[in-house]
Short mmCIF file of all heavy atoms in Angstrom, two decimals:
data_model
loop_
_atom_site.label_atom_id
_atom_site.label_comp_id
_atom_site.label_asym_id
_atom_site.label_seq_id
_atom_site.Cartn_x
_atom_site.Cartn_y
_atom_site.Cartn_z
N VAL A 148 -11.36 29.70 0.57
CA VAL A 148 -11.43 28.81 1.79
C VAL A 148 -10.60 27.60 1.43
O VAL A 148 -10.00 27.06 2.39
CB VAL A 148 -12.85 28.54 2.14
CG1 VAL A 148 -12.91 27.53 3.29
CG2 VAL A 148 -13.63 29.82 2.48
N HIS A 149 -10.67 27.10 0.25
CA HIS A 149 -10.06 25.84 -0.17
C HIS A 149 -9.06 26.08 -1.31
O HIS A 149 -9.30 25.66 -2.46
CB HIS A 149 -11.10 24.81 -0.53
CG HIS A 149 -12.10 24.57 0.54
ND1 HIS A 149 -11.82 23.88 1.63
CD2 HIS A 149 -13.40 24.96 0.59
CE1 HIS A 149 -12.97 23.78 2.40
NE2 HIS A 149 -13.88 24.46 1.80
N CYS A 191 -5.96 20.55 -1.49
CA CYS A 191 -6.35 21.79 -0.74
C CYS A 191 -5.18 22.22 0.17
O CYS A 191 -4.83 21.38 1.04
CB CYS A 191 -7.66 21.66 -0.03
SG CYS A 191 -8.07 23.08 1.02
N HIS A 194 -6.68 22.04 3.85
CA HIS A 194 -7.21 20.80 4.40
C HIS A 194 -6.63 19.54 3.77
O HIS A 194 -7.11 18.53 3.92
CB HIS A 194 -8.76 20.78 4.20
CG HIS A 194 -9.42 22.02 4.71
ND1 HIS A 194 -10.00 22.94 3.91
CD2 HIS A 194 -9.66 22.50 6.01
CE1 HIS A 194 -10.52 23.99 4.63
NE2 HIS A 194 -10.35 23.68 5.94
N MET A 199 -8.41 16.31 2.10
CA MET A 199 -8.95 17.03 0.98
C MET A 199 -7.86 17.01 -0.12
O MET A 199 -7.12 17.97 -0.33
CB MET A 199 -9.30 18.43 1.38
CG MET A 199 -10.23 19.15 0.46
SD MET A 199 -10.98 20.67 1.10
CE MET A 199 -11.92 21.14 -0.38
CU1 CU B 293 -9.98 22.88 1.91
#
Side-chain angles (χ1 to χ4, degrees):
V148 175
H149 303 287
C191 169
H194 309 108
M199 196 165 176

